[in-house]
């Protein structure tokens, strides 16, 4: 099946889903699940869907959740600037807010992956290092690098573009998670991320890419470049970890998101 036929098939499937009477409730359920997973901004418990949608279906909406998180962070940065704080202070206030509302989840995977890479191990030995709750020197240094680059790059971005940078970086980085899930293989027979990674299909990636359209008006050129570079970054990380770890798990997806976010902010800073 060539690319055009595949896209036609996906479009027809999406059209059928949209026409289904349960589409709106299903879409809301998927968003509630991914929002609850990626952020610490609470939603009413009564909203939690029963039964919960499949992990891959919820994961496809990750860019939408990420873009909204970026929007909130950008608004905080803009509010800080309104008090005549300098660019660095505004960026650190934004980083602190972003960390609290959910970035910490991805930073956990980022630091675990760097601890694993720093160990020089592979396979089950690498898994043991990454699952160790203690933070090693590589993991600790990676957090300093992540915070330092995030704040430095945002502070280097022109003031009128900082809100746009936060939005696009948040959305593109979560798209990177989806790309990593698609090109990755879950490395173990069981685990929390198995259904999310193994079940993530090309159609889910298609839906994920459609959610990005919501944020295109922010900046077509910058956002398109951020998405493309984020996808390439996630593809590279997934292929590397398929070889070293045996696949992609939640830590790898989180690390891909952080790497993609820093690259996206670099696009705006440049």
């Amino acid at each position: 099946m060539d690319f055009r036929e595949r896209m036609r098939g996906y479009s027809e499937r999406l059209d059928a889903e949209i026409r289904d009477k349960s589409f709106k409730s299903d879409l809301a359920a998927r968003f509630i699940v991914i929002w609850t997973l990626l952020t610490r901004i609470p939603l009413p418990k009564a909203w939690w869907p029963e039964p919960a949608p499949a992990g891959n279906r919820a994961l496809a909406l990750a860019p939408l959740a990420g873009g909204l998180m970026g929007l909130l962070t950008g608004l905080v940065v803009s509010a800080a600037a309104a008090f005549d704080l300098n660019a660095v202070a505004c960026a650190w206030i934004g980083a602190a807010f972003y960390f609290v509302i959910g970035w910490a989840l991805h930073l956990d995977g980022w630091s675990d992956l760097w601890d694993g890479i720093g160990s020089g191990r592979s396979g089950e030995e690498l898994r043991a290092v990454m699952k160790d709750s203690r933070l090693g020197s590589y993991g600790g240094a990676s957090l300093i690098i992540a915070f330092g680059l995030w704040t430095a790059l945002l502070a280097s971005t022109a003031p009128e573009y900082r809100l746009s940078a936060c939005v696009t970086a948040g959305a593109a980085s979560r798209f990177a998670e989806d790309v990593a899930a698609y090109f990755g293989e879950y490395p173990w027979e069981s685990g929390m991320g198995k259904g999310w990674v193994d079940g993530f299909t090309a159609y889910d990636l298609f839906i994920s890419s459609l959610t990005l359209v919501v944020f295109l008006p922010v900046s077509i050129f910058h956002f398109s470049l951020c998405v493309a570079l984020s996808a390439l970054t996630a593809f590279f990380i997934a292929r590397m970890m398929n070889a070293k770890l045996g696949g992609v798990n939640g830590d790898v997806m989180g690390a891909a998101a952080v790497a993609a976010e820093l690259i996206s902010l670099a696009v705006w800073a440049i």
Side-chain angles (χ1 to χ4, degrees):
M1 183 182 295
D2 63 22
F3 180 76
R4 288 184 179 180
E5 290 179 350
R6 185 172 295 181
M7 289 299 105
R8 186 181 301 113
Y10 293 160
S11 297
E12 291 175 352
R13 178 177 171 181
L14 176 60
D15 182 64
E17 288 183 358
I18 293 174
R19 292 175 183 275
D20 191 287
K21 293 181 180 179
S22 63
F23 174 74
K24 291 182 179 180
S25 59
D26 178 63
L27 186 66
R30 290 156 61 190
F31 179 77
I32 289 168
V33 169
I34 196 63
W35 181 262
T36 303
L37 174 69
L38 295 182
T39 82
R40 292 297 175 266
I41 300 176
L43 295 175
K45 291 183 179 180
W47 290 9
W48 183 259
E50 291 292 350
N56 62 301
R57 299 274 289 166
L59 185 59
L61 301 186
L64 183 57
L68 293 176
M69 292 171 65
L71 174 62
L72 293 175
T73 302
L75 290 174
V76 168
V77 172
S78 299
F83 289 94
D84 290 328
L85 297 176
N86 64 42
V88 174
C90 292
W92 273 102
I93 290 172
F97 176 80
Y98 196 34
F99 173 82
V100 170
I101 68 170
W103 196 36
L105 176 68
H106 298 93
L107 288 173
D108 181 63
W110 168 261
S111 61
D112 284 343
L113 181 61
W114 276 107
D115 269 338
I117 292 174
S119 71
R121 301 174 184 179
S122 60
E124 286 300 318
E125 292 182 343
L126 174 57
R127 179 189 183 187
V129 174
M130 291 175 63
K131 289 299 180 183
D132 192 329
S133 60
R134 294 170 295 181
L135 185 65
S137 57
Y138 276 85
S142 74
L143 293 177
I144 296 173
I145 292 170
F147 273 104
L149 281 176
W150 196 97
T151 53
L153 290 170
L154 187 61
S156 300
T157 302
E160 63 269 26
Y161 296 135
R162 287 176 192 151
L163 176 59
S164 297
C166 289
V167 172
T168 55
S173 63
R174 273 61 179 195
F175 181 66
E177 285 189 277
D178 290 351
V179 173
Y182 176 68
F183 287 104
E185 305 168 1
Y186 197 72
W188 307 294
E189 293 185 2
S190 62
M192 291 183 63
K194 183 172 178 59
W196 298 73
V197 175
D198 283 354
F200 200 81
T201 66
Y203 177 71
D204 295 317
L205 190 62
F206 169 73
I207 296 299
S208 179
S209 64
L210 288 183
T211 65
L212 296 170
V213 176
V214 176
F215 306 106
L216 266 180
V218 173
S219 172
I220 295 177
F221 173 75
H222 285 83
F223 190 38
S224 298
L225 184 56
C226 289
V227 169
L229 293 176
S230 295
L232 287 174
T233 299
F235 173 76
F236 172 77
I237 292 175
R239 292 296 296 270
M240 179 181 70
M241 297 312 294
N242 281 342
K244 290 185 65 68
L245 183 64
V248 169
N249 65 351
D251 286 339
V252 176
M253 291 167 64
V258 174
E261 182 139 18
L262 296 177
I263 291 172
S264 296
L265 288 176
V267 169
W268 285 94
I270 294 171

